[in-house]
Structures are given as structure tokens and as C-alpha cells.
Amino acid sequence: MNNTIAGFSKLSKEEKIHWIANHYFSTPTEAIDLLKKYWNSDATLQQLHDEFIENTITNFYIPLGVAPNFLINGKYSTIPMAIEESSVVAAAAKSAKFWATRGGFKTTIINTEKIGQVHFLYTGDKDKLTVFFNQTKTTFFSETDALTKNMRQRGGGILNIELKDKTELIPNYYQLHATFETKDSMGANFINSCLEQFAKTLKEQAQTFDAFTSDEKEIEVIMSILSNYVPNCLVRAEVSCPIEDLAEKHIPDPEVFAQRFVQAVRIAEVEPYRAVTHNKGIMNGIDAVVLATGNDFRAVEAGIHAFASKNGQYSSLSHAEIENGQFKFWLEIPLALGTVGGLTSLHPLVKLCLEMLEKPSAQELMQLVAVAGLAQNFAALRSLTTTGIQEGHMKMHLNNILNQFMVNEEERLAIKKHFKNHTISHSAVVSYIEELRK
């Protein structure tokens, strides 16, 4: 069967679904019914979702949960989390409860600077290019005046533009490296619009610069684009308490726990194989809140993982120490987020989540997201250094296994009772289901 098609995007949604069902499924009717089952019954809402992306055929649901009791800078918050992985929301909520009685989380905005670059090739004399840039710099600002007017009224705009020589990396390669403040918007469209005007100004002004030869006037712009690496858009989140205050049911000896916890973090600081998994746990919390609030979790992921490699080796995003009897655990991460524009004003559940968070500014959202990441990391390390990660995770995963085997309510009760006193594993649960069904 020929699985290629011309003009697919021009088909109606119904036609797209029927083409897919008939080309890829042995039972097309079942595939069509399943896809339509996830359509929203509210036609207006469904159209809104359909228009978020191209070639939409249905909605792909991810559970939205909440982690309550987060005490952050003296104020309680309930944090929404959109994620499909078992135990993440439970772990965040458990950390929130743990630290609420030990002073809570403290957060600090370190900086909010964002970055964009115009990448270009110039084959002439570097000194002449430097003179040209210095003479033209004010023009870059003036010719983006209309683009930046509204942002400047909100306290943002273009912060600075620099000429960077990258010819040691690629022959003739230079950059216009610009920094921006975008206030409560993530600012991608704003930044990219400014950069494209910079590129236009660069080429036009080069044509009229008398010191350039005819060849030097022909600056070749390769691309103009924002960077998702924002090492100067930083937020810090931390927790601390006297070591003895760490004591609880699973931490009978807080001194031993604290020492082991610090060593676990230290391992993630020096061992990349561990650091990747360690940081993935942090991102469980971060991505879930970023997604729930309509932000771009792929951009956030890329920027944060680049930041984890800033010293030349991939390393832990979080850090811990014991000093003068105090246990301290913290992270600093780059987060370019927005609370206006994009999905934040379109997606009904995103608007609901932002209202749940009491309509935060972008800086406030940075702090909430960082706390979610730190809480997730604390929960994982507490489990790893005490009972082990699988005990809690498999309890949460048990429901997934039961649903996979479509157990009835009587079987479910028997299985849960049995595994209160037995170790949960996929094979053990399957074996017990088979026994029940004999």
C-alpha cells in the first residue's frame, strides 16, 4: 500500500483521520472511534485546540494534578503539574509538606536577561567592522523603536548589543549578540522581530559605510534567532534547617542522612552518568509546571541542560552542604518564562492554572518552577539514600499494571491487600494476577 499523500494539509480533519485509519490500521473503524473519543464535546473548545498546531486529528491528554502546601518565602501555594509519570506529583507534595514545617523554601531572582543573536559572515578587515559597528549601534536601537515601544512602556526592551568575533571557530563568522528584558512575556516573537530588523539594518548600513570595500559591504546574514540558553536569566531556590530537624519516620538518624544526602549530590556533581538521571528528576518537577502554565518546556529543557554543562562537563544542577550544624540544599537554574501571550491567554486550563497560582508575574513563576524542581530532587534523593527509589515508585506504578491487565474491583482489592506486605515488581504483580484468575 502506498503510504504517501499529496496535499494532506488541505484535507478536512475527518478526511485526514480516515486516510490514516485506512492506511495504517487493520480495523480502521476502531482507530477512528478511538481518535474521536478524545475530541472535546464543546465544538468551540475543540476548534481552539485544533488551531494550536497543524494537521490536528485529536487531543492527547496528560493528567493535570496539584501539589499543595508549598511554603515559599512565607506564602503558601498549590502548584499545578501536568505530567504522566507515576509518583512525581506525590513526591512534590511530600517534599512540600516536609519543608513547610522546617521553614519552607526560599527563592531569589538573580537576573532576567534574555539573549538573541544575528549570525553573519564578513570577509573584510576586523578593525573596520568594529568601527562600523560602533558607529551603527545607535541605529540598531532607533530602527527597532516601533517594535520596542510597548515593551519599553512595560519596563523592558533591548538592553545591549555587542559585536562578537567568532572567526576562531568558523572563518569570517561574527555575531550581533543582543540582550533583552521582556518582563512578563517569554518574549520569543518580540526578540526575533528585533533581531530580524537588526539584520536588515546591518546589511543596509554596510552598503553606505565608506570605509568598506565593495566586497566588505556584502555582509551575509546566515540567520537571526533568539537563544534558549539564558545563563543570565537565573533563579535560586533553597531549603535549610538544623540537621536534627531532618528527623522523621524514615530518617531516624538525621546526621547520617544529611551526610549521605550531601555525598549523593556530590556524586552527581562529578559523575555525568549520575548527573543526567539526577537532573532528569529535577526536570520532572520543572517540566510539569512549565507545561501546566503554557510555557515551552523544550526550550526550558535545552537551556537548563546547557547550563548544567557550563563548566565543560555535565554536572548536577543542585548542590548541598553541611555547615555549622545546618543542612542546606539549593539550585540555581536559568528559566525564560512568560505569564502573558502565547497559550497563557488562549488555553483554558493554562489560564486556570495561572489563576490557581494567583496570577503570578514571570519572575514569580520562575520562583515557583524552581521550587518544584528542588522539591522533586529532594524527594528523589531522600528515597535513594533511605528506603530506595523503587518502594514508593512501584506503589504508584501498581495502578498502571492493574489497568494494563484490566483487573476488576474484587481483584484490585485483593492485589492491593497482598502487596501491602510483599515487594511490588511487575513480574510479581503479573504472577499474582494469574494466581487469582486460575
Side-chain angles (χ1 to χ4, degrees), residues 39-279:
W39 287 9
N40 199 292
S41 57
D42 183 327
T44 303
L45 187 59
Q46 183 57 55
Q47 182 179 350
L48 178 69
H49 285 283
D50 285 349
E51 292 175 356
F52 283 155
I53 60 169
E54 305 79 25
N55 294 339
T56 312
I57 56 173
T58 192
N59 306 310
F60 190 94
Y61 293 159
I62 291 178
L64 177 67
V66 296
N69 304 317
F70 270 97
L71 180 59
I72 305 170
N73 297 338
K75 177 185 173 183
Y76 279 98
S77 293
T78 296
I79 297 182
M81 306 178 77
I83 192 166
E84 84 300 337
E85 184 173 332
S86 301
S87 78
V88 169
V89 178
K94 195 172 182 181
S95 281
K97 186 178 179 181
F98 181 94
W99 284 107
T101 59
R102 293 166 175 84
F105 295 83
K106 306 291 188 296
T107 59
T108 310
I109 296 292
I110 298 171
N111 206 337
T112 55
E113 180 183 283
K114 293 167 187 173
I115 291 169
Q117 297 167 321
V118 177
H119 305 269
F120 66 94
L121 301 181
Y122 165 78
T123 57
D125 180 81
K126 178 190 172 183
D127 291 338
K128 283 200 279 185
L129 181 64
T130 302
V131 172
F132 163 74
F133 171 75
N134 290 333
Q135 290 187 14
T136 311
K137 188 171 180 178
T138 57
T139 309
F140 290 122
F141 283 90
S142 63
E143 294 199 355
T144 51
D145 190 66
L147 293 171
T148 64
K149 182 180 177 181
N150 290 339
M151 188 64 75
R152 283 185 282 116
Q153 288 174 346
R154 300 201 299 269
I158 304 163
L159 300 177
N160 193 23
I161 310 168
E162 298 174 85
L163 173 67
K164 294 204 171 186
D165 180 354
K166 295 288 183 176
T167 53
E168 78 283 2
L169 301 175
I170 299 174
N172 308 319
Y173 170 38
Y174 293 85
Q175 295 173 358
L176 294 182
H177 183 93
T179 51
F180 300 84
E181 170 58 62
T182 62
K183 304 308 287 182
D184 287 338
S185 68
M186 191 275 167
N189 290 332
F190 168 74
I191 293 172
N192 287 334
S193 294
C194 290
L195 293 171
E196 289 183 2
Q197 180 58 54
F198 292 166
K200 184 179 177 182
T201 301
L202 177 70
K203 290 175 69 68
E204 288 176 350
Q205 293 297 312
Q207 290 293 319
T208 61
F209 188 61
D210 292 338
F212 281 162
T213 65
S214 58
D215 287 343
E216 289 171 331
K217 290 175 188 280
E218 299 305 320
I219 287 175
E220 182 183 356
V221 173
I222 303 300
M223 56 186 166
S224 309
I225 186 70
L226 90 166
S227 174
N228 291 130
Y229 183 42
V230 284
N232 291 325
C233 190
L234 275 179
V235 58
R236 178 185 177 97
E238 60 188 292
V239 288
S240 64
C241 70
I243 288 176
E244 60 268 23
D245 289 355
L246 292 169
E248 59 147 14
K249 178 182 176 182
H250 293 299
I251 307 175
D253 189 332
E255 181 72 40
V256 171
F257 168 77
Q259 294 286 352
R260 189 173 292 166
F261 190 103
V262 170
Q263 285 299 323
V265 175
R266 181 67 184 137
I267 289 168
E269 288 173 337
V270 302
E271 170 51 66
Y273 284 93
R274 170 59 196 144
V276 170
T277 310
H278 176 94
N279 289 346

Side-chain angles (χ1 to χ4, degrees), residues 166-414:
K166 295 288 183 176
T167 53
E168 78 283 2
L169 301 175
I170 299 174
N172 308 319
Y173 170 38
Y174 293 85
Q175 295 173 358
L176 294 182
H177 183 93
T179 51
F180 300 84
E181 170 58 62
T182 62
K183 304 308 287 182
D184 287 338
S185 68
M186 191 275 167
N189 290 332
F190 168 74
I191 293 172
N192 287 334
S193 294
C194 290
L195 293 171
E196 289 183 2
Q197 180 58 54
F198 292 166
K200 184 179 177 182
T201 301
L202 177 70
K203 290 175 69 68
E204 288 176 350
Q205 293 297 312
Q207 290 293 319
T208 61
F209 188 61
D210 292 338
F212 281 162
T213 65
S214 58
D215 287 343
E216 289 171 331
K217 290 175 188 280
E218 299 305 320
I219 287 175
E220 182 183 356
V221 173
I222 303 300
M223 56 186 166
S224 309
I225 186 70
L226 90 166
S227 174
N228 291 130
Y229 183 42
V230 284
N232 291 325
C233 190
L234 275 179
V235 58
R236 178 185 177 97
E238 60 188 292
V239 288
S240 64
C241 70
I243 288 176
E244 60 268 23
D245 289 355
L246 292 169
E248 59 147 14
K249 178 182 176 182
H250 293 299
I251 307 175
D253 189 332
E255 181 72 40
V256 171
F257 168 77
Q259 294 286 352
R260 189 173 292 166
F261 190 103
V262 170
Q263 285 299 323
V265 175
R266 181 67 184 137
I267 289 168
E269 288 173 337
V270 302
E271 170 51 66
Y273 284 93
R274 170 59 196 144
V276 170
T277 310
H278 176 94
N279 289 346
K280 185 269 181 186
I282 293 173
M283 299 313 296
N284 278 344
I286 289 173
D287 283 347
V289 188
V290 170
L291 188 57
T293 56
N295 279 271
D296 186 344
F297 72 90
R298 285 91 40 191
V300 167
E301 282 266 1
I304 288 178
H305 290 304
F307 188 76
S309 304
K310 66 184 184 299
N311 294 323
Q313 175 179 296
Y314 191 88
S315 181
S316 171
L317 292 161
S318 62
H319 309 280
E321 67 179 15
I322 297 167
E323 187 175 5
N324 299 324
Q326 285 279 124
F327 170 81
K328 188 175 179 181
F329 181 47
W330 73 97
L331 59 71
E332 288 181 8
I333 52 169
L335 281 171
L337 302 175
T339 55
V340 298
L343 284 188
T344 60
S345 58
L346 284 176
H347 198 299
L349 283 178
V350 168
K351 289 194 282 188
L352 180 143
C353 287
L354 288 171
E355 190 166 347
M356 188 191 308
L357 292 171
E358 300 180 72
K359 299 182 179 178
S361 66
Q363 290 193 20
E364 289 167 338
L365 184 58
M366 286 171 69
Q367 295 170 79
L368 289 159
V369 169
V371 163
L374 188 68
Q376 206 64 41
N377 197 210
F378 178 79
L381 290 172
R382 178 173 60 176
S383 293
L384 284 168
T385 55
T386 53
T387 58
I389 199 78
Q390 284 301 91
E391 180 181 323
H393 183 75
M394 290 308 295
K395 281 182 181 178
M396 295 297 297
H397 190 53
L398 179 58
N399 282 333
N400 288 345
I401 302 172
L402 301 187
N403 289 334
Q404 181 185 348
F405 284 87
M406 294 183 287
V407 302
N408 60 39
E409 193 58 33
E410 185 179 344
E411 290 172 330
R412 186 179 292 269
L413 290 172

